[in-house]
Structure formats: structure tokens, C-alpha cells
Amino acid sequence: MSEKETTQNPLIFAPETYQYDKLTLTEGQLRKDPIEQFLVWFEEAKNDPRETLPESITFSSAELPSGRVSSRVLLFKELDHRGFTIYSNWKTSGKAHDIATNPNVAINFFWRDLQRQVRVEGFSEHVNRETSERYFKTRPRGSKIGAWSSPQSTVLRDREELEEYVKNNEERFKDAEDVPCPDYWGGLRVVPLRIEFWQGRPSRLHDRFVYERPSENDPWTVVRIAP
């Protein structure tokens, strides 16, 4: 036991009361392609009224050389057979700094009602400018102004400073039919090399299947792993 450890009671104790007991996952249910398997599960999550935000993900990145890992909840926006795309500020945000030093990232979907997770590990790449601008056009005008106004993750003096940035950009673009996409804002695609489908089961003996490939040009293999 380290000097910092004690035998005091924890401030919070969470006993195992929740049971995963709804569904199963077998080899016979799996699609050959993990993207197709994801689409099946994502559609079921979207159709479940208790899964109120099925596109929410935990996005994890790591800075090098420190190895410091950081995570945040984002919204997944697009999927093609190359990978999963999110959109963000890539100038000042913490994840922008991490990815500039280390392109390897991970994302995690968790659908509580369906008792499922999808864990994706791979490398990141920026989508082309045309794709970023296409998506930016679909955003509400307020979100577009926000993208111009927030120096994401930098220190603010107070809330009024941020509101001043917003006011200035509202004035800047007041006569513009549409607000253009900032050059530092855009899409980041996660190209998967490993995708795990996790189905909760009783007694924590979950069903877990992993699709993996050494590189983006290699075929997928799939195995069952222990819970």
C-alpha cells in the first residue's frame, strides 16, 4: 500500500445492482463487414425511444511525447466505408493539439437501454475542404457564428469576453446571406483498425466480438474475446 492510500471508507460506493439481461450477440448475427454491423446497431439505437442521443460518443486522444490521454463527449456526424467523422475547431482545441502530435484516436458509443457499446480504435485524418464546407452549410446560423467566435479551449477573462466575440461576429456577418466556414474548422475522420461490438450479458459475462486489421488496406478478421 502506498503512503497515499488509506483504509478509510470510500466517499462513494456503487454496488452492483444493474444487470445486463436484454439481448445476446452470436457469431451468426454478425455481418462480415464491421461498418455494416455498426449500421445495424446504430439504426436500432436510433429507433429506440429511450436512446435519446444515439450519436453521442466519447472521443479520446493522446498527446505525445507525454502520453497524456484526454476524453470528451462529442456528436458523431457522418459515416462512410472509410470511417467515422466528427466536426470541430482544429486550431486551438485540446484535441487539435493532441492530434497534431499523435493521429491515433479512439471513440466509444454507449447505448444504455440496448446495453451495447461499440469501441473504435484507429487513426485520424482531416476530410477535404469541400466536405467540411458542405457540412458547415447545414448548421444553424447561431452555431456558425459560434464557430467563428470561440477560441476553443483557450482561457477567457470572463463570460462577457466570449459574448463580445459573438457580438462582433454577428456584426461582421450581418449582411451575409450565409456565414462561411472558418479555415480552422472542419471534419476529422477516424479510420478504424479495430472495432469491438459489446453486448451486455448477465453476471458481467458479456458477448464481445472484435474486428481487426493491421492496416486500412488489409481484410478484417473477427474473433470473440472474453468479457
Side-chain angles (χ1 to χ4, degrees):
M1 181 180 294
S2 70
E3 293 181 1
K4 293 184 178 180
E5 285 185 274
T6 71
T7 57
Q8 295 177 355
N9 291 330
L11 296 176
I12 296 176
F13 175 70
E16 288 197 13
T17 57
Y18 183 78
Q19 286 300 317
Y20 299 92
D21 55 7
K22 283 191 172 183
L23 301 166
T24 64
L25 182 61
T26 66
E27 291 88 340
Q29 294 172 295
L30 295 174
R31 302 299 197 273
K32 291 183 178 180
D33 186 312
I35 299 299
E36 294 178 6
Q37 180 63 39
F38 175 83
L39 288 172
V40 171
W41 273 21
F42 189 64
E43 192 65 25
E44 291 176 1
K46 287 196 300 180
N47 291 333
D48 187 328
R50 286 163 293 195
E51 300 291 357
T52 56
L53 203 59
E55 68 271 30
S56 65
I57 61 171
T58 299
F59 181 94
S60 299
S61 56
E63 179 208 42
L64 293 178
S66 71
R68 176 192 54 81
V69 178
S70 59
S71 296
R72 72 287 289 164
V73 175
L74 303 174
L75 297 182
F76 150 72
K77 291 299 183 182
E78 295 180 356
L79 174 68
D80 56 26
H81 265 81
R82 185 158 179 79
F84 302 77
T85 299
I86 61 167
Y87 288 87
S88 188
N89 175 315
W90 301 108
K91 181 178 181 181
T92 60
S93 68
K95 55 188 174 295
H97 174 75
D98 290 352
I99 288 167
T101 67
N102 176 18
N104 298 303
V105 296
I107 61 177
N108 186 62
F109 294 83
F110 177 60
W111 300 308
R112 185 183 186 279
D113 184 64
L114 292 168
Q115 302 177 343
R116 288 173 172 170
Q117 292 186 74
V118 178
R119 301 174 58 209
V120 180
E121 299 173 12
F123 63 90
S124 59
E125 61 182 21
H126 291 281
V127 304
N128 61 42
R129 189 66 187 164
E130 180 183 2
T131 299
S132 294
E133 291 180 349
R134 171 184 54 76
Y135 177 75
F136 194 79
K137 287 181 181 295
T138 70
R139 306 186 87 205
R141 187 178 181 89
S143 297
K144 294 175 182 177
I145 294 291
W148 280 97
S149 303
S150 174
Q152 193 176 107
S153 300
T154 62
V155 176
L156 291 171
R157 179 184 66 252
D158 49 32
R159 178 74 189 188
E160 285 68 30
E161 181 182 3
L162 177 61
E163 291 173 351
E164 187 66 23
Y165 292 149
V166 173
K167 181 180 177 181
N168 291 341
N169 281 305
E170 286 176 338
E171 177 65 21
R172 176 184 179 184
F173 296 113
K174 68 177 182 179
D175 296 324
E177 183 176 346
D178 196 14
V179 178
C181 180
D183 59 7
Y184 53 80
W185 193 97
L188 186 84
R189 181 186 293 112
V190 179
V191 180
L193 298 178
R194 189 179 194 272
I195 305 179
E196 176 185 332
F197 293 87
W198 180 101
Q199 176 67 64
R201 295 294 302 277
S203 302
R204 303 300 193 264
L205 298 175
H206 313 303
D207 288 324
R208 299 175 63 191
F209 288 92
V210 172
Y211 293 79
E212 199 158 19
R213 56 184 180 175
S215 76
E216 61 184 296
N217 298 316
D218 291 310
W220 293 99
T221 61
V222 59
V223 294
R224 179 190 279 269
I225 62 174

